Amino acid sequence: MTVLARAIDATRRYGDVLALDHVSLDIRAGEVVGLLGPNGAGKSTLINLFAGLRRPTSGTVELFGGSPLDPATRRGIGMTPQETGLPESLRVGEIAEFVCAHFPDRVATAELLARFGLEDLVRRQVGGLSGGQRRRLAVALAFAGRPRLVFLDEPTTGLDVGARRALWEGIRSFHEEGGTVLLTSHYLEEIEALAERVLVVDQGRVLADDSVRAVRGMVGTRRVSLVAERSGDRIDLVVNDPDRLVVELVRSGTPFSGLEIRPATLEEAFLALTSKEPAHV
Amino acid sequence: MSSLVLAHTRYLVIEQIRVPIGILASAFFPAVSMVAFVVPFAGRDPVAATTATGSLMFFGAMSAALMGLSSAVAQDRDLPWNPYLRTLPAGPLPRFAGRILSTLAVMLLSVIPVLLVAALFTEATITPVRLLLGVGALVLGVVPFMLMGLCVGFLLASKAAMAVSQLLFFPMAILGGLLLPPQVLPQFVQAVSPYVPTRGAAELIWAAVVGARPGVVPLVMLAVWTVATATAAFWAYRRDEGRRFT
C-alpha cells in the first residue's frame, strides 16, 4: 500500500525537553489511525512535523514522498485550526473561501459548508458562532482542498453527542471514499468508533502500534463481573486468567449469577500501557 | 501566486474594515489638527496650507504604518490561526505581501479626511499631477516606518508593541516637523531634525506638493534609515521564525 506519511527515526527536542524520541512510523493510504496519549506525550509535535510547522531535530519526516516544508507537498493534506483562533470579524463563507483559494483542486465553498451543516451560517461572523459551530467550521476547513490525508486534532472536543455523531459520519464517508485520517482524541470511544489502527504514544515514544483489537488484547486482562447470591452485590474483577477464576469459583460452590466476561476497553489498555506500574491484578 | 496575494490582502482588509477603530485612529488626529491649527493659522496662505496638509497626511500614514503594522504583526503571533495558515500550501510571501498591501490600503483611506478638510476649508491648491506625486512620495516615505513596525511587531508582545510604537511615533513626528514647520522649531530640535526619518519623508512630500527644494542630508538619512530598518526587520523576522518554527 502507498505510504502517505512517514517518520524515520524522528527526534524532536525543545531545548531540554525531548518531545519525540526516535519515532518511526508509516501512515498508509486509506487508513484511519488513532493517536492516543496523555497531554504532553508528543502527539501534537508529531502532527506539527507532518504538517511542516516544525522540523525534526534529527531523523526524517516525509509527506507523499517529499518534504512537508515544501508548500506544494502540503496541497494533499488538510488540518483543523484551533477554533479559538479563527478570525472573529470574518464571515463563515469568507473564511471558507479564503482557505479554499489555497488549493488548485478545491471544493466549492457552498458544498464544503453544506457537508458540515454550516450552509445557514454563511453570512454569520465567526465572533457570533457557538463553540460547537466554530468546531464544525474548523473541521470543515481541513477538507477544503480535497485532501488525501487529514490531520484531526481533537475534532469533537466540546461537541454534544448529536453533533459528534454527525461529524463521525463525515469522517467515515471521507474514509469510505478512500481518504486517510490521522486523528487524536481525548475520547477513547471516538478512537474505537473510527480508527482501525492505534498508536499509543507516551513520553515521545510509540508504545504500541497495532489494530484497536490487538492493543486492547495487549494488556491481556479481562473484566469479570458477577452478582454474589449471598449479599446480592455486583462484583467487578479485572484478571489476567478469567478461565481459572471461573473454574475456582464453581469448585468453591459459592452461589453467583449474572456472570459477564469482557475484554478490557481501550481506555484500560491505554492506562496500562502509559502508567509505569502494572495497572491491575 | 498573485491570486493568493489577493486572497490574503482581501481577508486582511476586510478584517480591518470590520473593526474600523484602527482606521479612525489614524485618520482622526490629523484631521482634527487640520481643523484646529492649519485652518485658522495657515488656511489663507496657499503654500503654507498645502505644505501643512502634506505633513498631516504623512502623520496619518505613518501612524497606520508604524502602529498599525506593529500591533497587527504582534497580535498575529499570539493567535493559533497563524500556525494554521502555515500548514496551507503557500509560502510566507502571500501573507507578507497581503500585510503590506492591506496596510497601504488602510493608510490611503486614512489620509482622505485630511485631504477633504484641506480642500473644503483652506486655500490649499494642488494640480492632479502634484497630488499623484505627493501620494507617491507618501508611499516611498512611509517604507522605513512600515519596516520599523514589522520589526517591533516581530520582537514584542502585542501590548508592548503598541506602547513602543507610540513612544517611537510622537517624538519622530515632532522632530521631523510634521506638526509644526521646522523653521519655527527650537534651535536644538532644528539641529536633530535632519537626521530623523520623518524629516526626509516630509521633505520628499513637500517637494512633490509645492515644489520645495529638499535638503540633501534629510534625503540621505531617509535612505540610511530605510536600509537600517529593513535590516532590523529582517533580523527580527528570522529570530521569530527560529523561535517558533524550526
Side-chain angles (χ1 to χ4, degrees), chain B residues 1 57 90 117 125 127 131 133 141 148 152 180 191 193 205 207 213:
Chain B
M1 182 50 84
M57 277 171 67
V117 172
T125 54
T127 62
L131 180 63
L133 275 178
M148 214 178 279
V152 171
L180 289 170
S193 181
I205 291 170
R213 231 180 109 88

Side-chain angles (χ1 to χ4, degrees), chain A residues 59-140:
Chain A
T60 27
V61 173
E62 285 174 9
L63 199 60
F64 312 119
S67 163
L69 298 173
D70 176 3
T73 315
R74 296 199 299 269
R75 283 181 187 151
I77 62 166
M79 279 271 280
T80 42
Q82 281 182 36
E83 73 272 21
T84 48
L86 294 170
E88 302 270 314
S89 56
L90 259 67
R91 299 200 166 109
V92 169
E94 287 164 349
I95 292 191
E97 180 60 36
F98 169 73
V99 173
C100 285
H102 285 77
F103 298 91
D105 181 21
R106 49 167 290 181
V107 181
T109 307
E111 184 196 330
L112 181 70
L113 294 178
R115 210 194 294 169
F116 290 88
L118 296 162
E119 64 271 36
D120 296 335
L121 304 173
V122 183
R123 312 242 341 129
R124 282 272 289 280
Q125 281 184 305
V126 169
L129 298 182
S130 73
Q133 290 166 335
R134 281 167 188 246
R135 192 84 280 245
R136 258 156 48 213
L137 174 59
V139 174

Side-chain angles (χ1 to χ4, degrees), chain B residues 72-170:
Chain B
V73 168
Q75 277 169 12
D76 262 4
R77 294 193 304 127
D78 289 344
L79 289 176
W81 179 245
N82 186 39
Y84 167 72
L85 289 182
R86 298 179 64 113
T87 69
L88 294 175
L93 181 73
R95 176 82 173 156
F96 214 73
R99 261 280 166 248
I100 301 290
L101 291 175
S102 65
T103 305
L104 274 176
V106 166
M107 186 185 100
L108 292 175
L109 280 180
S110 71
V111 302
I112 291 174
V114 174
L115 269 181
L116 285 178
V117 172
L120 296 175
F121 305 113
T122 74
E123 297 297 316
T125 54
I126 196 159
T127 62
V129 175
R130 285 211 177 273
L131 180 63
L132 266 180
L133 275 178
V135 171
L138 187 83
V139 172
L140 201 67
V142 93
V143 170
F145 299 97
M146 283 191 158
L147 292 165
M148 214 178 279
L150 288 174
C151 180
V152 171
F154 280 124
L155 285 180
L156 301 173
S158 54
K159 277 183 185 161
M162 262 315 239
V164 168
S165 57
Q166 281 182 9
L167 276 179
L168 289 169
F169 178 76
F170 284 103

